[in-house]
């Protein structure tokens, strides 16, 4: 499990870099994240799925797992897409939240999204205090708060808080 979280951290760090450097999160990074997540699910089913299962049972179980991930991927996309349409969120941010659905079940996903927005709020307040103005002016790049939210979630999980 730690290996896949490290992969997610690396993907999110690359997203932070490209978001700040170029102002966008590349689709190739999002697709790579989805592919790694799906391959991890397949790997888990092959290694930990049980040796007594037939190939048909294993394939059906894998399909069941992948179908179970659909709400975790679609709900963030459907929820945040209107905010993208209004210009509040960037398209890469919406896709990044959706990509996280492959890595987390629904409840931990919602917790990580909450912590991401909490980190974004703290970042916005810090920017306003530094500028001595209550108008931010520039858009906040959400890749960093998303990374921070996942880090907070991981720290709480490791610390034994029920996530």
């Amino acid at each position: 499990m730690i290996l896949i979280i490290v992969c997610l951290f690396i993907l999110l760090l690359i997203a932070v870099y490209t978001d700040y450097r170029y102002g966008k999160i590349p689709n190739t990074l999002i697709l790579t994240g989805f592919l790694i997540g799906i391959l991890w699910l397949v790997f888990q089913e092959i290694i930990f799925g049980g040796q007594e299962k037939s190939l048909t049972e294993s394939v059906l179980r894998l399909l069941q797992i992948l179908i179970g991930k659909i709400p975790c991927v679609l709900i963030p996309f459907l929820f945040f897409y209107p905010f993208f349409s209004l210009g509040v969120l960037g398209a890469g941010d919406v896709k990044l939240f959706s990509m996280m659905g492959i890595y987390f079940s629904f409840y931990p996903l919602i917790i990580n999204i909450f912590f991401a927005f909490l980190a974004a709020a703290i970042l916005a307040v810090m920017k306003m205090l530094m500028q001595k103005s209550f108008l931010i002016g520039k858009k906040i790049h959400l890749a960093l708060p998303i990374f921070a939210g996942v880090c907070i979630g991981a720290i709480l999980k490791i610390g034994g808080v029920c996530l």
Side-chain angles (χ1 to χ4, degrees):
M1 186 64 181
I2 297 215
L3 178 62
I4 195 64
I5 297 299
V6 169
C7 287
L8 179 61
F9 278 1
I10 291 169
L11 289 166
L12 290 174
L13 282 173
I14 294 169
V16 168
Y17 174 77
T18 59
D19 196 18
Y20 275 90
R21 173 82 184 200
Y22 304 108
K24 66 183 297 183
I25 299 168
N27 288 337
T28 52
L29 181 66
I30 301 295
L31 291 174
T32 301
F34 274 116
L35 183 63
I36 289 171
I38 291 169
L39 288 175
W40 176 254
L41 293 172
V42 170
F43 175 76
Q44 274 189 311
E45 181 57 28
I46 290 171
I47 299 299
F48 304 116
Q51 307 303 329
E52 67 279 348
K53 291 183 185 178
S54 69
L55 179 61
T56 306
E57 289 174 325
S58 294
V59 169
L60 288 175
R61 173 70 184 139
L62 186 59
L63 284 174
Q64 182 182 16
I65 291 168
L66 291 174
I67 289 170
K69 286 293 183 180
I70 290 173
C72 294
V73 171
L74 279 182
I75 288 173
F77 182 81
L78 294 174
F79 182 78
F80 291 121
Y81 186 80
F83 295 101
F84 162 70
S85 297
L86 294 171
V88 177
L89 288 174
D93 301 325
V94 174
K95 292 181 277 188
L96 207 54
F97 281 126
S98 291
M99 182 193 76
M100 286 171 46
I102 285 289
Y103 295 90
F104 298 107
S105 58
F106 189 72
Y107 178 70
L109 175 66
I110 298 302
I111 296 296
N112 282 308
I113 289 172
F114 168 78
F115 284 128
F117 278 105
L118 182 64
I122 292 168
L123 182 63
V125 168
M126 288 173 45
K127 277 182 115 175
M128 288 188 288
L129 291 174
M130 287 177 13
Q131 295 174 356
K132 297 182 178 150
S133 168
F134 289 105
L135 300 174
I136 293 178
K138 285 186 173 182
K139 192 175 13 173
I140 293 178
H141 299 274
L142 272 184
L144 179 60
I146 291 170
F147 175 72
V150 171
C151 286
I152 293 167
I155 289 167
L156 291 175
K157 176 94 173 158
I158 291 168
V161 176
C162 57
L163 288 182

